[in-house]
Amino acid sequence: KSEMYVNIHLIILSTSLCLLQAYMKFQEGNIEMLLDHRLEQSEVNLLVAKKIFELAFKCAAPTRYERPSVKEASEYLWRVRKDYKMPTH
């Protein structure tokens, strides 16, 4: 049983470290380093990625009072989609 708790704590620690590293890269303006290299790194894709990372870090806030509600997050994502939707021909 204690081994399971150790494993769970290691997973949480690992996740926290990854989140912290990603946040530091984001704060430094290195969004490209956080993206899949197969994603076209156009200006629009980088702007959308920045918006998504902003929301992701808000959602990962340590207390629920700092995190957006599911409704707020959903509305934010819809606004991003609307603002950056590619025109169809």
Side-chain angles (χ1 to χ4, degrees):
K1 194 173 185 178
S2 64
E3 186 177 316
M4 181 179 75
Y5 289 117
V6 169
N7 287 338
I8 289 171
H9 287 293
L10 287 174
I11 291 169
I12 292 169
L13 179 60
S14 176
T15 303
S16 297
L17 287 174
C18 288
L19 181 62
L20 180 60
Q21 289 174 334
Y23 185 72
M24 289 172 61
K25 296 285 182 204
F26 178 79
Q27 289 295 97
E28 294 167 357
N30 294 326
I31 296 171
E32 299 89 352
M33 294 184 73
L34 300 171
L35 299 176
D36 187 319
H37 69 277
R38 295 170 291 186
L39 179 67
E40 178 188 341
Q41 294 196 4
S42 68
E43 186 176 343
V44 170
N45 284 349
L46 292 175
L47 287 170
V48 170
K50 181 178 184 232
K51 296 284 187 187
I52 300 302
F53 279 118
E54 287 172 354
L55 177 61
F57 293 126
K58 287 178 184 176
C59 290
T63 66
R64 69 179 181 172
Y65 303 106
E66 297 174 88
R67 295 188 292 262
S69 68
V70 172
K71 181 181 180 193
E72 291 168 331
S74 175
E75 289 170 349
Y76 181 88
L77 290 171
W78 277 107
R79 279 193 308 276
V80 170
R81 183 173 189 255
K82 185 181 125 239
D83 291 346
Y84 295 99
K85 190 173 182 179
M86 297 296 290
T88 56
H89 299 281

